[in-house]
Amino acid sequence: MSNSLYRQDFAIIASWLAFGSKALDLGCGDGSLLSYLRDGLEVKGYGVEKDDTNWLAAMQNDVDVIQMDLEAGLSEFEDNSFDTVILSQTLQAMHNTEDIVKEMLRVGREAIVTFPNFGYWRNRLQIMTGNMPVSEDLPYEWYNTPNVHLCTIHDFDQLCADNNIAIIERKVITNGHEVTLMPNWFGNLAMYRLKCAD
Amino acid sequence: MSEINAIGADSVGIVTPKTAHFNASITLKSGGVLPAFDLTYETYGELNTEKSNAVLICHALSGTHHAAGRYTPEDKHAGWWDNLIGPNKPLDTNKFFVIGVNNLGGCHGSTGPASIDPVTSKPFGASFPIVTVEDWVKSQAMLADYLGIDAFAAVVGGSLGGMQALQWSMAYPERIKHALVIASSPNLTAQNMAFNEVARQAITTDPEFHGGDYYAHNVVPTRGLRIARMLGHITYLSDDAMGAKFGRKLKDTIKYSFDVEFEMESYLRYQADKFAGEFDANTYLRMTRALDYFDPATAFDGDLSAALDKVTAKFLVISFTSDWRFSPERSREIVKALLDNELPVKYAEVTAAHGHDAFLMPDEHYHAILRSYLSKIEV
């Protein structure tokens, strides 16, 4: 992932959080998003991370990080105990995809989900030429990818509709720039701000 | 315990235990009163002028104040947590002033059942009161006063020691900055208490126990202590760890006897003999009871989150995947209660094969966690 895209990703997430709010970052990696939100917005954050190396890096970033497997759900967290629950570029690697999105909206009043858009034209082009897509955003071969549930923007819209989830806002970016024209073709990172539909 | 007979640059070196005498009486949770008592302790590193760098090490069931260093240059055994504590070790004595203390009711110098009761001039024996985790923490706070320490930079403990660190955070929130709760639990499960009961039964039904007053008979309930220790040892290890260490290895060839046939038996018997030769049975009974009774949620209708309401310390909670006596699920109950109170907490579930004993092992990742966390503590 390029650095510029990284920053844009963070900036959009930050724009969806209130100053001093409470956030839970699922699959927080080395904790750089939570550090960014803490430093910029005084967000009170907790991270969840399974991997030992990432966990240690997050701790070194002084992030409050809980080592657990997201696939088992979020039973440690009470209903509505966070303003926002974030799943940043992890959705595609989840097995219990539908469950985790529901869990996020149980624990948080809002949820932010970001994922690489499989409908991005470069991915489609590679499929057309007869190969599974490999790119900077999807850097794995089909046989070693952790990504088990890749989806397109249309697909995710449908998941939300099926689960009574309201999309508060959606942004689609490519190389750090927002895409408004035919986003399911021209966007490579999809970002959703969600809440439960009334 | 490390058996490397060398005092390296990362050792605290030769240490000497000290004893603090308290003329003030202490009323225990059980209602028992000790009119005066001693606490034996050791210190490593230097207390800084602000007195802000003190770290208290709380010991587990069979631990002592001797957490690091050696008593003589020839001493084969370093303190029980020597792999953690020392100059440039994860708990760095160049930075911290580390205190190890033998708990009240212990048998390594602090006032306990084998101590002389000043009223009768005989050992307390059975009359020594039941002590609890709460009592220990209270007496440790008196030791902190004695040493002029207002607040600990950290209180650190594994297993029963972790319960003390947790109790510190609840009882003296203003006196503890960080709690390191390792391989611990907010209370014992029925199965866990059952192991303790078997251990106690082994001791109390030993004919040489004499109702706890065996000192007068110049005997020790060795058989009971041995069995208690063997049982304990089995539960502190994982099946895999025992398999890796001993498997079905024979001592010699099969003799079709009840003597030692397998390596595992030899190990258990050795550990049992060693323990029975140095540990007091009355102390063992009380330590297991302290484990059983600890349950801070009880006073809050079983709500651990409510019990932690007054806590202000930052927490590092660590569990080990193969620890079935204090399983990761139990540590996660503590984590959940901390999260419910929006307290700062970092929780690691360390992949380790050694079972409950893993908290004493120098696992690389485990020690990296401790080193990193402790290095960030400001003193």
Side-chain angles (χ1 to χ4, degrees):
Chain A
M1 197 184 321
S2 71
N3 206 39
S4 60
L5 178 61
Y6 209 57
R7 297 288 166 182
Q8 180 69 4
D9 181 4
F10 283 16
I12 290 171
I13 290 173
S15 75
W16 288 344
L17 263 68
F19 186 86
S21 61
K22 194 180 165 198
L24 177 64
D25 185 8
L26 305 177
C28 69
D30 66 3
S32 40
L33 173 60
L34 283 172
S35 303
Y36 174 85
L37 297 173
R38 176 189 60 208
D39 297 345
L41 284 174
E42 291 185 25
V43 164
K44 183 173 174 55
Y46 289 93
V48 171
E49 179 56 49
K50 184 173 68 169
D51 178 75
D52 283 350
T53 309
N54 283 338
W55 188 94
L56 199 57
M59 193 185 77
Q60 279 156 353
N61 277 326
D62 209 19
V63 165
D64 281 322
V65 56
I66 312 298
Q67 189 165 32
M68 54 183 259
D69 186 358
L70 294 178
E71 301 286 1
L74 302 175
S75 58
E76 263 74 5
F77 301 96
E78 290 289 332
D79 295 1
N80 290 315
S81 54
F82 285 85
D83 296 307
T84 307
V85 181
I86 303 163
L87 188 68
S88 174
Q89 307 207 37
T90 305
L91 181 82
Q92 73 279 1
M94 295 284 306
H95 287 263
N96 297 312
T97 313
E98 196 172 8
D99 291 341
I100 195 68
V101 176
K102 284 192 238 173
E103 273 285 86
M104 289 172 76
L105 285 168
R106 174 185 69 78
V107 171
R109 281 173 279 280
E110 289 187 12
I112 295 172
V113 176
T114 80
F115 58 88
N117 174 31
F118 202 69
Y120 182 48
W121 70 272
R122 285 183 185 274
N123 297 335
R124 298 191 195 208
L125 190 64
Q126 287 192 52
I127 299 263
M128 297 264 282
T129 59
N131 293 97
M132 283 298 283
V134 179
S135 65
E136 213 174 321
D137 295 312
L138 296 171
Y140 303 98
E141 297 291 345
W142 64 273
Y143 49 80
N144 65 11
T145 180
N147 298 328
V148 290
H149 281 147
L150 289 159
C151 70
T152 69
I153 289 171
H154 285 170
D155 294 330
F156 194 77
D157 285 347
Q158 191 61 51
L159 175 84
C160 292
D162 292 347
N163 286 285
N164 206 28
I165 294 168
I167 299 167
I168 305 168
E169 219 171 326
R170 186 186 76 191
K171 293 211 183 221
V172 180
I173 56 179
T174 301
N175 300 329
H177 298 289
E178 200 173 332
V179 176
T180 47
L181 176 72
M182 297 174 71
N184 200 32
W185 276 93
F186 295 117
N188 71 354
L189 184 71
M191 306 184 65
Y192 284 75
R193 182 181 179 190
L194 309 167
K195 64 172 187 172
C196 286
D198 299 323
Chain B
M1 273 191 209
S2 167
E3 294 193 21
I4 302 159
N5 192 3
I7 300 181
D10 63 351
S11 168
V12 298
I14 304 295
V15 294
T16 311
K18 305 177 189 84
T19 296
H21 180 70
F22 297 90
N23 260 323
S25 75
I26 185 169
T27 304
L28 305 168
K29 200 182 177 190
S30 62
V33 178
L34 290 171
F37 63 97
D38 290 340
L39 287 179
T40 296
Y41 67 98
E42 285 177 14
T43 64
Y44 323 109
E46 299 292 331
L47 186 61
N48 62 12
T49 45
E50 299 82 18
K51 299 184 174 182
S52 63
N53 67 334
V55 172
L56 179 68
I57 303 293
C58 301
H59 70 71
L61 187 59
S62 60
T64 71
H65 51 280
H66 186 39
R70 290 164 204 268
Y71 288 143
T72 63
E74 296 77 34
D75 193 346
K76 281 196 178 123
H77 300 288
W80 59 271
W81 223 349
D82 192 73
N83 62 36
L84 183 77
I85 305 161
N88 302 314
K89 284 183 181 170
L91 182 44
D92 188 349
T93 48
N94 291 325
K95 175 180 177 182
F96 294 110
F97 176 64
V98 181
I99 303 164
V101 58
N102 185 212
N103 283 337
L104 201 57
C107 53
H108 292 88
S110 294
T111 302
S115 307
I116 301 298
D117 180 349
V119 178
T120 63
S121 300
K122 288 179 186 158
F124 282 100
S127 71
F128 195 87
I130 295 279
V131 285
T132 62
V133 169
E134 291 88 334
D135 298 328
W136 287 335
V137 168
K138 193 166 155 185
S139 65
Q140 289 160 1
M142 292 169 80
L143 180 65
D145 294 339
Y146 172 88
L147 296 170
I149 296 158
D150 288 336
F152 284 107
V155 178
V156 184
S159 190
L160 178 56
M163 289 175 167
Q164 292 161 62
L166 182 60
Q167 176 62 25
W168 259 99
S169 75
M170 293 182 284
Y172 301 103
E174 71 291 352
R175 302 191 73 174
I176 168 174
K177 307 274 190 230
H178 293 265
L180 278 69
V181 177
I182 305 166
S184 196
S185 171
N187 63 20
L188 292 194
T189 60
Q191 186 196 44
N192 215 330
M193 289 192 290
F195 287 122
N196 286 344
E197 175 60 5
V198 175
R200 282 191 300 269
Q201 286 283 309
I203 292 168
T204 57
T205 59
D206 186 320
E208 300 197 309
F209 181 63
H210 296 286
D213 291 319
Y214 45 87
Y215 315 103
H217 297 81
N218 275 319
V219 291
V220 174
T222 305
R223 277 164 285 185
L225 257 180
R226 290 182 81 260
I227 292 166
R229 185 56 171 175
M230 285 196 267
L231 174 70
H233 245 289
I234 297 164
T235 68
Y236 305 146
L237 294 171
S238 68
D239 190 16
D240 285 349
M242 283 190 100
K245 194 165 183 173
F246 310 109
R248 296 183 50 82
K249 264 182 279 177
L250 287 162
K251 192 81 186 144
D252 197 353
T253 52
I254 288 185
K255 294 187 189 67
Y256 298 98
S257 77
F258 296 112
D259 286 339
V260 169
E261 293 275 43
F262 296 95
E263 288 277 7
M264 169 272 300
E265 295 165 355
S266 169
Y267 169 80
L268 281 182
R269 289 185 192 198
Y270 168 76
Q271 291 294 340
D273 289 338
K274 188 161 156 262
F275 189 71
E278 64 188 28
F279 209 86
D280 183 65
N282 278 320
T283 290
Y284 199 83
L285 295 178
R286 280 159 183 76
M287 295 281 171
T288 59
R289 261 307 187 215
L291 271 165
D292 294 350
Y293 288 136
F294 185 67
D295 188 6
T298 316
F300 298 87
D301 293 327
D303 184 352
L304 185 63
S305 303
L308 296 182
D309 179 52
K310 302 252 183 321
V311 171
T312 54
K314 297 178 177 177
F315 273 73
L316 173 64
V317 180
I318 301 176
S319 70
F320 300 92
T321 50
S322 58
D323 183 353
W324 56 279
R325 188 123 189 216
F326 289 78
S327 69
E329 288 73 22
R330 304 309 319 277
S331 283
R332 281 163 66 158
E333 289 177 34
I334 298 171
V335 172
K336 182 180 185 310
L338 293 167
L339 288 169
D340 287 346
N341 284 291
E342 301 191 5
L343 286 162
V345 52
K346 296 169 172 69
Y347 169 63
E349 210 164 287
V350 176
T351 304
H354 287 100
H356 187 51
D357 270 354
F359 87 87
L360 296 167
M361 306 287 175
D363 175 82
E364 198 180 329
H365 179 59
Y366 168 47
H367 271 201
I369 292 167
L370 290 172
R371 180 182 292 280
S372 175
Y373 189 90
L374 290 162
S375 73
K376 284 186 165 290
I377 293 180
E378 287 172 21
V379 297

